Structure formats: structure tokens, C-alpha cells
């Protein structure tokens, strides 16, 4: 059994960027942000679509030889238009994700980074592009969890990936999730926070709650 939580998302904003050129050339970097509970869709001039989740900040930088964005905070889903001559790069914390023709999500936390590959392939490694020995090429279903000192990859099924991406449909889906984990996830989308008063209940994982 699973729990479905309808998150109180604000209306999704849609932004088109750089229609005249494959990549915007601005005198300063463009920054896109979402408030708590808000989602935003950014469409780039090359056809790449970026969906920002709640409380996220994305910085778009122009470069001569590549397309590059920096995820400062939060979570984003990327549907990249592949161009081998101009790699699409996401910088998140101390790591770099390079598109190899793909759909993927990046979630930047305070101490760790999670990259989930939905379709195609992508390479994750240190932000220093010259340090290639520590890079890993991800396949569909791979979930990379990275910290400043480590990088590990696990696998998820198609249904698990769909649950993880339910926020794109304005939902949260929990499957065998503890009450503590569910509360923590729910709190990402609301200024009013859930608090579990009884510590003994934090490990419960068969929830019978409806929001």
C-alpha cells in the first residue's frame, strides 16, 4: 500500500529563454527561483526544458563551448535537447552532471546530492572536469547519491521512479515510507510544518492518512 499526498503547489509558471539563439548570451547570469510550494517551468532556446521544484534556485550561465546551469538549491527535472558539440552541464555543489542525451532529476541538499536518471545516459563526477577518474556514467533507473567525499549508485524500478517524480504532477507518493520521512518530505512544500510529537511513531511505515 502507498500513501498519496496532494501537495499544495502554487500555479506553475512558464518561462521561455533565448528564443533567438541556441543559448542565451547575457551580460549577467540569469537566475530562476521558486518559493516554498511553487513549481516553475523554464524552456531554453535550444528546446531544453527545466522544471524547478519547491524552494529551488537555478543559475543559467552562458559559455562559449558548453551549455551550463548551476543548481544552487532544491530540485530540478531536466529534459535536455542533446547537442554533442555543446555539452549540457549541471553543477550542483561539488559535482558536475553532463548530459549524454537524457532526462534526469537533480536534488541538491545541505550535505548531499541525488541524481536520478530517467532516460538516456548522463555522467556524474567532481565539478573539476579534469578529474575524470572519479566519474560514473549512469543508466536509466540509476540513482547516484554523492557527498563531498563519496559517490554511490543504487537502482530503482520504473514504478519507484514514477513515485519520486510525482511532484511534477502536484502530488507526493509514499510507498513503505516511515512517518518521519513522510513528514520531512511534506515539510519541503509547506511553511506550516508537521511535527511528530511522539518519537515512538517516527518509524511507522504503514500510514493511513489523507491530505
Amino acid at each position: 500500500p502507498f500513501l498519496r499526498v496532494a501537495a499544495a503547489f502554487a500555479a506553475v509558471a512558464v518561462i521561455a529563454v533565448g528564443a533567438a539563439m541556441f543559448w542565451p548570451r547575457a551580460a549577467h547570469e540569469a537566475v530562476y527561483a521558486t518559493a516554498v510550494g511553487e513549481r516553475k517551468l523554464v524552456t531554453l532556446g535550444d528546446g531544453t526544458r527545466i522544471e524547478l521544484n519547491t524552494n529551488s534556485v537555478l543559475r543559467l550561465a552562458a559559455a562559449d563551448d558548453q551549455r551550463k546551469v548551476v543548481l544552487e538549491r532544491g530540485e530540478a527535472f531536466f529534459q535536455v535537447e542533446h547537442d554533442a558539440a555543446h555539452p549540457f552541464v549541471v553543477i550542483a555543489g561539488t559535482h558536475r552532471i553532463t548530459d549524454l542525451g537524457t532526462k534526469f532529476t537533480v536534488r541538491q541538499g545541505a550535505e548531499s546530492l541525488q541524481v536520478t536518471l530517467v532516460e538516456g545516459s548522463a555522467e556524474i563526477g567532481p565539478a573539476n572536469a579534469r578529474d575524470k577518474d572519479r566519474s560514473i556514467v549512469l543508466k536509466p533507473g540509476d540513482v547516484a547519491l554523492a557527498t563531498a567525499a563519496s559517490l554511490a549508485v543504487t537502482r530503482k524500478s520504473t514504478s519507484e521512479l514514477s513515485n519520486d517524480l510525482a511532484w511534477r504532477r502536484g502530488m507526493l507518493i509514499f510507498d513503505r515510507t516511515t512517518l518521519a520521512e513522510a513528514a520531512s518530505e511534506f515539510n519541503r512544500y509547506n511553511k506550516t510544518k508537521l511535527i511528530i510529537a511522539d518519537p515512538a511513531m517516527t518509524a511507522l511505515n504503514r500510514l493511513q492518512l489523507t491530505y
Side-chain angles (χ1 to χ4, degrees):
F2 58 83
L3 167 69
R4 293 175 179 262
V5 179
F9 288 112
V12 179
V14 180
I15 299 176
V17 180
M21 304 181 70
F22 94 95
W23 192 252
R25 301 290 179 178
H28 59 279
E29 297 174 324
V31 177
Y32 306 95
T34 54
V36 172
E38 182 186 15
R39 287 179 295 149
K40 182 175 293 184
L41 173 61
V42 178
T43 302
L44 305 181
D46 64 351
T48 293
R49 294 162 61 89
I50 304 172
E51 296 178 46
L52 292 180
N53 199 2
T54 177
N55 195 25
S56 300
V57 177
L58 181 83
R59 179 159 47 88
L60 182 69
D64 291 335
D65 59 346
Q66 64 181 210
R67 301 166 292 168
K68 183 170 72 174
V69 299
V70 179
L71 184 64
E72 302 281 4
R73 180 180 75 234
E75 183 174 19
F77 177 83
F78 297 85
Q79 183 172 337
V80 178
E81 286 294 323
H82 185 58
D83 182 348
H86 303 92
F88 188 95
V89 174
V90 181
I91 302 294
T94 59
H95 287 79
R96 167 188 297 256
I97 302 97
T98 304
D99 156 61
L100 303 176
T102 187
K103 296 179 182 179
F104 60 97
T105 183
V106 180
R107 180 168 171 174
Q108 175 67 37
E111 299 180 355
S112 64
L113 168 72
Q114 180 175 297
V115 178
T116 302
L117 190 71
V118 178
E119 182 180 301
S121 61
E123 182 181 75
I124 179 173
N128 182 353
R130 291 172 294 182
D131 193 359
K132 299 287 289 184
D133 293 341
R134 294 170 55 198
S135 297
I136 295 176
V137 175
L138 303 177
K139 302 181 295 295
D142 282 350
V143 179
L145 184 63
T147 67
S150 65
L151 176 60
V153 178
T154 59
R155 296 278 299 169
K156 286 192 175 183
S157 66
T158 301
S159 61
E160 289 174 321
L161 293 179
S162 178
N163 288 351
D164 289 348
L165 292 172
W167 62 265
R168 298 177 61 210
R169 308 190 301 273
M171 302 175 63
L172 296 178
I173 300 177
F174 301 110
D175 185 1
R176 294 183 295 275
T177 303
T178 66
L179 185 58
E181 292 168 338
S184 177
E185 185 67 10
F186 186 84
N187 287 343
R188 294 177 61 211
Y189 298 87
N190 295 274
K191 294 181 180 179
T192 301
K193 306 302 182 183
L194 293 178
I195 299 175
I196 302 174
D198 184 355
M201 297 183 64
T202 59
L204 292 178
N205 64 0
R206 289 187 179 273
L207 306 177
Q208 299 297 325
L209 303 176
T210 303
Y211 293 91

